[in-house]
Structures are given as C-alpha cells and as structure tokens.
Amino acid sequence: QVQLVESGGGSVQAGGSLRLSCVASGYTYSSACMGWFRQAPGKEREGVVSIDVYSATTYAASVKGRFTISQDNAKNTLYLQMNSLKPEDTAMYYCAATGTTCPLSAGFWEYWGQGTQVTVSS
C-alpha cells in the first residue's frame, strides 16, 4: 500500500523559508515521478513542481527561482525548500506520486499524502 506522509508546514512571515518533507513507502521510490501540489481555499489544486525518474524537474512559473525540489532515495524522502515566501503561497501542500510521466496537472497523479498547511503572512 502506497503511503505518502508530509511534514514541515507552518506559519511564516513573507520573505521567510520553510522546508517540507514527504516520506514515501509501499513502492519502489525511485521508479515513480514525485511532485508537490498545493491548494488554497476556494481554488483548484495546482502543480508546484515535479521530479521524474531521471531527476528532471518541472517548476510552476510562480515558484521558479524560489522553490527547490530534492530527494534522498536512500531515505525514500522528497523535499521542498521554499524561500522568499509570499502570502499567495499560502495553501495546503500535498506530496504526490505517479508513474513515469509526471505533468503538473493533478488529475494525472495517483497517490496523495494528507497535506501540510503553509501560511504566509504579510
């Protein structure tokens, strides 16, 4: 059974930083795409960044240059380093996994964590 467990969310002021973690289990971690998504109240879930099995990354334009995805295959853990946070980054952040094709569209992703809240105040 695939499980994804996020942690690291919290409340910060604009300009601050947070690092999210996602521990994966129940499958061969390095064989799947991994990604981070977010959903603000009243909005659709949007893709933030994905990393494929070759470690190629795709970032949403809104976070490029501020957020960095990384992973530790030995620990089955995905990270999202978020710097220069803005109030518009406030959302529930979700870790996701899917097959070997990983577009930044939530409908293509199979497995989801429970989410971790990020709140950025101005």
Side-chain angles (χ1 to χ4, degrees):
Q1 182 180 358
V2 175
Q3 284 193 320
L4 303 171
V5 181
E6 304 98 332
S7 62
S11 297
V12 296
Q13 290 192 328
S17 299
L18 283 173
R19 188 175 84 153
L20 307 183
S21 300
C22 171
V23 179
S25 62
Y27 70 103
T28 303
Y29 178 80
S30 59
S31 67
C33 288
M34 299 294 296
W36 289 98
F37 291 75
R38 65 186 182 186
Q39 188 167 20
K43 294 187 177 181
E44 292 189 356
R45 192 168 296 189
E46 64 172 353
V48 175
V49 58
S50 67
I51 184 166
D52 70 13
V53 297
Y54 303 105
S55 297
T57 57
T58 301
Y59 286 88
S62 59
V63 306
K64 193 173 291 185
R66 300 188 298 121
F67 291 10
T68 303
I69 192 171
S70 62
Q71 58 189 352
D72 185 334
N73 289 347
K75 295 181 178 179
N76 287 3
T77 302
L78 183 74
Y79 302 100
L80 181 65
Q81 178 66 43
M82 304 185 295
N83 298 328
S84 302
L85 282 161
K86 304 175 181 180
E88 51 263 44
D89 294 319
T90 295
M92 185 72 78
Y93 282 71
Y94 298 90
C95 173
T98 192
T100 55
T101 301
C102 39
L104 284 181
S105 179
F108 287 91
W109 293 71
E110 295 181 73
Y111 304 104
W112 295 88
Q114 82 288 349
T116 185
Q117 178 68 38
V118 172
T119 303
V120 184
S121 58
S122 58

